[in-house]
Amino acid sequence: MSKTIIISNRLPLQLQIHDNTIETTPSVGGLATGMKSVHTDSESIWIGWSGLTEEEFNLELKNQVTTALQKHQCIGVPLTENDVEGFYYGFSNNTLWPLFHYFMEYTEFEKSTWETYKSVNQKFADVVLQNIEDGDTVWIHDYQLLLLPDLIRKKRPEVSIGFFLHIPFPSYEVFRTIPCREALLKGMLGADLLGFHTYDYERHFLSSVQRILGHEITFNNINLDNRIVKVDSFPMGIDYDKFHNAAKIHDQKSKKEQTEIQQEINKHLEEGNHQAKLILSIDRLDYTKGIANRLRAFEYFLEKYPQFKGKARLVMLAVPSRANVPQYQLLKNEIDQLVGRINGKFAEVSWTPIWYFYRSMPFENLIDLYTSSEVALLTPIRDGMNLVAKEYIAARVDKKGVLILSEMTGASNEMSEALIINPNNFEEIADTLKFALEMPEEEQIKRNSALQKRLKRYNVEKWANDFIEALEATKNDTKKYTLKKINVSIRTEIASKYKNAANKVLFLDYDGTMVPFEKLPENAKPSQRVFDTLDALHKQPNTKVIIITGRDRDTIQKWFGHKDYTLITEHGAWLKESNKDWELMERVDNKWFESISPILESFTDRTPGSFIEEKRYSLAWHFRNVDPDLGKKRANSLKTTIQQLIANHNLEILEGDKVLEIKTSGVSKGKSATKMLLDTKYDFIFAIGDDWTDEHMFKELPNDAHTVKVGIKKTVAQYYVEDIDQVYELLTSFK
Ligand code: GDG
């Protein structure tokens, strides 16, 4: 039976060694809870690091760990201290984490940690490959494993692979600064489905793929040579019922049953004559979470609105994280000092403005804090999603309470009923805090009702299921394509039809089919492979080889004039039969050039990288070397600008791959190809091409023609091959 393989840096378990025995406790983090439904309800295994390095085990312990993990359907990836240092603390947390959160000044790039990152990703791949079986689905999580999708794909091309990034994907301008940018993107593109928390991260990723790797993108599909990768946003939810029900139980507890922390909180709330209010913040101690800014903004708030002194208290829980990374140690010192200074500055005998906890708390204390705080103040500078914001709202059983949330969090996109602030604007934070503390209850209830409804509906289980469903759907897409893909048996069948036919004609497109695209069209000269293949075909009895191209007559004459293949150029304007002169296939002229050329020139001047190709009877405006977004925008505006002229001169615009070509209406590869069939009866007709302009040919040739598209793109062709190498495999089988 096929299974799901979940892979993340850490397994959803905590392991502790006590007196040479292993204890396991399940992790409480968002990911572990989120994946619970996928992991336990179905046949699945989870692969990741156990949290203990190889150096920490002896053989006996190792066996114990393996058994303990097995009980939870988990498999460990063995990592050494050195691996963890370079891969986790090094490249993941010193390079990717700051870069992806726009902290470029903290981003270090060291070749040695990059090498370890690569080798550890390979270690993960090895464990996955040892455990993978036909039909399995793979779901990889987060920035520590960006290379893993492709490492698995290389060995198991048929496997369905999903990847979800839990942190932001930065803008292209930031991402482009990293030296190994190509390798990271290629690694990710091994997946069939790439998920992000928000549309913005998705958009940034697509833009980097387009600009750095040059792949064509249609909507949210990335067209690789041999596959399509789907990209989509799936905002992660929380286990709503868990928080909501825990809060309900909490509210029903008698005084005696309450935790120590809750009793402390109660004392504070009772002290201020019921005017005391708690403002809560919870995060890992991380520079991305904006903790120092929050403290400064709170200080400013107390100065600007002194009426809240003695009443409002900030309860700040900062959970220790990555404590051996220097930036985190500096941050810890900064926060300690700030808290000390602010408390020293404002403290009264019965009131200190900040309660600061630097530790992790058990779940029930988290619920104490969520349920007792009138306001949650979450001010990350950048945050992929921020689950704390969602958990706070879920725990507000009476629907009261106000969430103040940074606009730099992924969560702010969905939580528009919260008070959204810019974490760098202290004025705004101070004013919003006052507004929150004074917000009438009806308004609080109104805002939170809407938020709760959404959080309950789109909970973490729904998130995980949506992702898995979308991944399943990509399997169907792949199936659709696989049906058309030329495999060995289809190739043999076409080749045998070719051999058995009495009269054969082959229509072969040139650019993108026989040779790869070049930055400049004049550089795509025919290689020896082109001539060897065409000569071999041409020598076959009763075989007519036709190169059919949009290229201009003079170039094709220069490159192929010495051969006696049949040549059709400019989409069917010109024909050269073997051993004959060029003749016009259509009545065309170029008098219209003088009205269109100046417009194309003005577009070229304003669009760096674009150029005009002047053929005898058509003009092509190429934008393959232009910034992709600008290219598309300018191409659209060019079409609008020349629309009227096109109609007046009986012209038409052909939209090719990053080119707009203006030519006399009615001239097409389809029309010219069918003309070639008029005088001779062929019992084997074959056409192959990669471009949009070849679609005319595929459409208009008779139904029994064998039509083949190069690359996975939308097509009316019967079959496709993945790339140019496969074109040659197919053509050389015709012998
Ligand atoms: C990354 C992304 C994205 C916190 N303190 C305690 C505790 N927690 C729990 C919270 C919450 C989780 O940890 C923190 O989640 P966040 O989303 O706020 O932040 P990151 O850890 O940075 O997570 C983030 C997330 O991945 C998911 O994709 O949202 O943007 O950075 O669930 O409740 N839990 C307990 N004690 C604590 O002291 N028990």
Side-chain angles (χ1 to χ4, degrees):
M1 192 177 142
S2 60
K3 62 182 180 300
T4 306
I5 305 181
I6 304 161
I7 310 153
S8 62
N9 170 41
R10 289 293 298 270
L11 286 171
L13 294 171
Q14 307 283 343
L15 294 184
Q16 278 110 20
I17 308 177
H18 284 303
D19 301 332
N20 226 20
T21 51
I22 295 282
E23 279 176 20
T24 54
T25 40
S27 302
V28 287
L31 181 62
T33 344
M35 299 303 291
K36 214 165 58 193
S37 59
V38 180
H39 186 44
T40 47
D41 298 354
S42 65
E43 195 68 23
S44 90
I45 55 170
W46 195 315
I47 292 175
W49 181 48
S50 67
L52 295 174
T53 59
E54 290 301 281
E55 288 85 348
E56 290 172 88
F57 297 126
N58 54 36
L59 189 63
E60 192 200 323
L61 272 182
K62 203 168 173 150
N63 292 337
Q64 274 193 50
V65 168
T66 312
T67 323
L69 295 183
Q70 262 168 4
K71 268 197 208 142
H72 298 269
Q73 298 162 240
C74 288
I75 297 174
V77 177
L79 297 186
T80 63
E81 263 168 33
N82 198 34
D83 286 338
V84 176
E85 194 54 41
F87 155 75
Y88 181 69
Y89 291 109
F91 196 75
S92 299
N93 288 331
N94 266 344
T95 308
L96 294 176
W97 177 269
L99 185 79
F100 280 35
H101 287 88
Y102 295 77
F103 279 78
M104 289 176 75
E105 70 279 23
Y106 288 174
T107 308
E108 292 168 10
F109 185 85
E110 273 182 38
K111 200 164 176 302
S112 65
T113 62
W114 166 232
E115 292 303 328
T116 315
Y117 183 83
K118 285 195 280 186
S119 69
V120 171
N121 268 257
Q122 186 60 56
K123 284 191 175 185
F124 272 79
D126 294 341
V127 178
V128 176
L129 292 167
Q130 279 155 21
N131 289 284
I132 207 164
E133 289 160 315
D134 286 348
D136 285 355
T137 299
V138 174
W139 187 358
I140 303 165
H141 291 267
D142 229 0
Y143 64 104
Q144 300 91 349
L145 301 173
L146 296 178
L147 304 178
L148 187 56
D150 193 49
L151 293 174
I152 300 174
R153 171 78 54 208
K154 279 205 179 100
K155 300 279 179 200
R156 298 296 298 245
E158 80 296 349
V159 152
S160 174
I161 305 174
F163 179 92
F164 189 84
L165 186 70
H166 288 263
I167 64 173
F169 194 93
S171 131
Y172 159 72
E173 286 301 337
V174 168
F175 182 74
R176 72 191 297 199
T177 59
I178 189 167
C180 54
R181 57 201 186 179
E182 283 95 353
L184 293 175
L185 292 177
K186 282 183 187 157
M188 293 173 79
L189 289 181
D192 297 293
L193 173 68
L194 288 157
F196 298 89
H197 280 306
T198 72
Y199 173 66
D200 282 334
Y201 309 155
E202 174 190 336
R203 183 168 70 73
H204 291 154
F205 173 75
L206 287 175
S207 154
S208 286
V209 167
Q210 196 173 37
R211 284 152 200 258
I212 294 168
L213 299 181
H215 292 306
E216 195 190 310
I217 289 166
T218 31
F219 301 108
N220 55 346
N221 291 341
I222 303 170
N223 303 317
L224 304 186
D225 285 343
N226 54 356
R227 289 187 303 119
I228 287 181
V229 179
K230 231 186 175 75
V231 181
D232 213 338
S233 56
F234 302 86
M236 187 173 175
I238 53 161
D239 186 348
Y240 182 88
D241 290 341
K242 176 177 154 191
F243 285 89
H244 197 72
N245 295 339
K248 268 191 192 157
I249 293 169
H250 169 275
D251 291 352
Q252 288 155 8
K253 275 186 185 163
S254 68
K255 273 217 154 125
K256 263 210 216 132
E257 291 169 321
Q258 286 175 346
T259 64
E260 230 173 89
I261 287 199
Q262 186 62 54
Q263 289 172 12
E264 274 303 306
I265 292 173
N266 290 347
K267 246 191 255 165
H268 161 78
L269 293 175
E270 282 151 18
E271 266 161 18
N273 198 17
H274 296 285
Q275 283 191 321
K277 301 219 163 173
L278 292 185
I279 300 162
L280 174 69
S281 80
I282 297 183
D283 353 57
R284 273 185 311 101
L285 191 114
D286 196 294
Y287 49 81
T288 60
K289 303 284 182 182
I291 303 173
N293 267 13
R294 182 182 313 152
L295 288 168
R296 291 197 185 92
F298 184 61
E299 178 183 19
Y300 181 66
F301 161 77
L302 290 176
E303 274 163 4
K304 188 170 177 186
Y305 300 110
Q307 65 269 37
F308 288 101
K309 282 189 206 165
K311 292 176 192 141
R313 171 175 276 162
L314 178 64
V315 183
M316 197 172 86
L317 172 61
V319 182
S321 173
R322 304 169 199 172
N324 49 351
V325 176
Q327 278 116 10
Y328 288 74
Q329 289 157 359
L330 285 175
L331 179 70
K332 164 83 174 48
N333 290 343
E334 186 187 3
I335 287 168
D336 286 352
Q337 281 176 17
L338 271 171
V339 172
R341 186 168 62 72
I342 299 169
N343 273 345
K345 186 167 162 187
F346 295 102
E348 294 166 7
V349 180
S350 58
W351 176 79
T352 40
I354 304 167
W355 271 351
Y356 170 40
F357 301 93
Y358 175 62
R359 59 169 191 250
S360 139
M361 285 193 183
F363 178 71
E364 58 175 351
N365 290 141
L366 217 61
I367 298 295
D368 293 336
L369 295 178
Y370 282 148
T371 49
S372 307
S373 307
E374 278 82 359
V375 176
L377 175 64
L378 306 174
T379 58
I381 309 287
R382 288 282 161 185
D383 207 342
M385 172 51 72
N386 195 299
L387 300 178
V388 171
K390 296 185 170 183
E391 293 167 4
Y392 172 71
I393 294 295
R396 306 301 299 179
V397 175
D398 60 4
K399 297 191 167 54
K400 288 179 211 153
V402 184
L403 171 64
I404 303 178
L405 182 61
S406 160
E407 69 177 62
M408 310 299 176
T409 60
S412 69
N413 286 280
E414 303 155 67
M415 303 184 82
S416 52
E417 292 84 359
L419 302 179
I420 307 293
I421 48 98
N422 174 349
N424 301 306
N425 187 340
F426 294 176
E427 201 71 48
E428 188 186 33
I429 298 177
D431 294 348
T432 309
L433 258 177
K434 177 174 183 288
F435 181 70
L437 290 164
E438 292 172 349
M439 186 185 281
E441 284 187 353
E442 312 82 78
E443 186 176 343
Q444 299 178 21
I445 292 170
K446 197 170 147 212
R447 287 172 185 260
N448 292 340
S449 305
L451 286 169
Q452 286 191 346
K453 210 167 147 194
R454 218 172 302 134
L455 292 177
K456 190 171 162 61
R457 196 175 55 230
Y458 200 83
N459 63 12
V460 71
E461 202 176 327
K462 177 96 177 67
W463 167 80
N465 291 341
D466 271 10
F467 186 90
I468 291 285
E469 263 173 37
L471 184 56
E472 281 294 313
T474 65
K475 279 190 196 164
N476 295 338
D477 288 352
T478 317
K479 233 185 254 157
K480 244 189 305 182
Y481 285 112
T482 331
L483 282 180
K484 289 186 144 204
K485 185 178 163 178
I486 295 201
N487 53 24
V488 181
S489 86
I490 298 177
R491 195 170 69 212
T492 320
E493 192 189 317
I494 300 177
S496 105
K497 283 195 181 148
Y498 170 84
K499 276 170 218 155
N500 295 331
N503 237 341
K504 342 172 194 215
V505 60
L506 311 174
F507 293 97
L508 311 173
D509 168 51
Y510 183 67
D511 293 273
T513 302
M514 307 294 295
V515 291
F517 268 95
E518 295 284 346
K519 275 203 162 208
L520 290 174
E522 58 267 33
N523 291 346
K525 292 191 185 92
S527 58
Q528 198 51 47
R529 176 161 80 157
V530 175
F531 289 123
D532 290 347
T533 313
L534 295 184
D535 285 345
L537 290 169
H538 189 64
K539 266 204 304 235
Q540 305 268 335
N542 307 322
T543 299
K544 189 172 183 116
V545 176
I546 303 178
I547 295 179
I548 182 161
T549 168
R551 286 236 178 209
D552 68 286
R553 191 190 94 167
D554 296 344
T555 306
I556 293 298
Q557 169 64 28
K558 195 163 74 197
W559 288 348
F560 292 102
H562 61 295
K563 297 283 179 186
D564 50 5
Y565 326 133
T566 302
L567 307 171
I568 296 176
T569 63
E570 297 183 36
H571 307 287
W574 289 101
L575 166 70
K576 186 180 179 304
E577 290 276 18
S578 58
N579 302 320
K580 286 195 187 152
D581 268 344
W582 287 97
E583 57 176 294
L584 267 176
M585 287 185 100
E586 295 286 338
R587 283 169 57 88
V588 283
D589 68 52
N590 59 11
K591 290 199 196 82
W592 50 270
F593 276 25
E594 57 195 40
S595 1
I596 301 277
S597 284
I599 302 174
L600 293 189
E601 275 156 17
S602 89
F603 269 79
T604 307
D605 292 342
R606 287 191 298 124
T607 316
S610 67
F611 60 92
I612 302 167
E613 186 188 358
E614 190 172 319
K615 305 182 187 178
R616 278 185 188 234
Y617 294 107
S618 70
L619 290 172
W621 186 71
H622 291 271
F623 55 97
R624 63 177 87 168
N625 304 328
V626 176
D627 171 282
D629 291 336
L630 178 67
K632 264 193 220 154
K633 208 169 94 186
R634 285 285 151 78
N636 277 336
S637 102
L638 174 59
K639 273 194 288 182
T640 322
T641 313
I642 56 178
Q643 220 163 31
Q644 195 53 46
L645 282 168
I646 295 280
N648 293 349
H649 291 280
N650 191 28
L651 302 172
E652 68 180 3
I653 304 178
L654 255 180
E655 286 181 62
D657 189 3
K658 302 199 179 70
V659 57
L660 283 188
E661 184 155 356
I662 299 123
K663 61 175 192 56
T664 306
S665 177
V667 178
S668 79
K669 284 188 180 178
K671 198 166 170 197
S672 53
T674 43
K675 261 192 194 170
M676 300 304 291
L677 307 179
L678 290 179
D679 301 332
T680 318
K681 178 129 187 56
Y682 293 101
D683 53 354
F684 180 89
I685 303 167
F686 174 88
I688 190 163
D690 71 306
D691 198 346
W692 193 82
T693 61
D694 300 307
E695 292 294 314
H696 287 300
M697 181 163 75
F698 301 149
K699 226 182 283 172
E700 291 177 38
L701 284 172
N703 286 343
D704 59 354
H706 302 278
T707 52
V708 183
K709 183 87 168 179
V710 185
I712 302 187
K713 295 165 201 164
K714 199 163 173 257
T715 182
V716 293
Q718 251 180 321
Y719 300 112
Y720 79 89
V721 289
E722 288 174 353
D723 52 28
I724 293 178
D725 284 340
Q726 291 186 4
V727 173
Y728 284 93
E729 267 177 45
L730 181 59
L731 292 180
T732 45
S733 71
F734 295 175
K735 276 183 189 160

